[in-house]
Amino acid sequence: MDTRKKVADTTTNLHQDRGKDTNKIPQFKRLAQCFSEMPKTMYQAERETGIRIANICRFIDKMKKNGIIRKVSSGKCPISHRQAGFYTSNREYFKDDRQLSLFDILWKGVRR
């Protein structure tokens, strides 16, 4: 009467791919393409791509650190009607830094 039932191999590996979301890379690329068309707010990007706003915030933070995206301006969001930032990944919309650095002036002015 000492018979043990063997558990099936398929049930032991149920949670093997837990935490492995293969949909993240296409979301990142879709978001970069969405912001390359024209400057948009996060809510506009959410409506266009269907990506949740929490993921958009995380992806924008990663893109800022890599220099892919910039905040071009601030204004009223057409969806939420609140103050929001307009982001773009299109280099044509990037504003160049016009403020001169003290080191730029010194190095250009004094050459020995």
Side-chain angles (χ1 to χ4, degrees), residues 31-33 35-36 63 68-70 87-91 94:
L31 198 62
Q33 182 185 9
F35 281 115
S36 69
M63 285 190 236
I68 299 171
I69 197 168
R70 282 192 191 171
Y87 294 93
T88 186
S89 62
N90 190 345
R91 300 253 179 216
F94 284 4

Side-chain angles (χ1 to χ4, degrees), residues 18-108:
R18 176 181 261 175
K20 294 182 181 177
D21 192 4
T22 58
N23 201 16
K24 295 291 183 190
I25 294 173
Q27 281 186 357
F28 190 84
K29 288 182 181 178
R30 230 181 330 160
L31 198 62
Q33 182 185 9
C34 174
F35 281 115
S36 69
E37 296 166 1
M38 62 179 286
K40 296 175 186 170
T41 64
M42 291 184 202
Y43 282 114
Q44 288 175 317
E46 180 187 30
R47 288 256 174 107
E48 272 188 37
T49 60
I51 301 170
R52 294 185 319 166
I53 197 76
N55 290 347
I56 291 174
C57 291
R58 189 173 343 107
F59 291 144
I60 284 181
D61 188 42
K62 286 181 183 179
M63 285 190 236
K64 276 184 184 178
K65 288 179 182 176
N66 293 332
I68 299 171
I69 197 168
R70 282 192 191 171
K71 182 177 174 182
V72 177
S73 64
S74 295
K76 190 176 181 182
C77 176
I79 296 171
S80 67
H81 303 292
R82 294 180 181 258
Q83 191 71 16
F86 286 83
Y87 294 93
T88 186
S89 62
N90 190 345
R91 300 253 179 216
E92 294 176 3
Y93 293 110
F94 284 4
K95 292 181 181 177
D96 294 331
D97 295 331
R98 294 192 177 122
Q99 183 176 357
L100 290 175
S101 170
L102 175 64
F103 297 109
D104 290 338
I105 296 170
L106 289 176
W107 289 114
K108 289 179 183 175

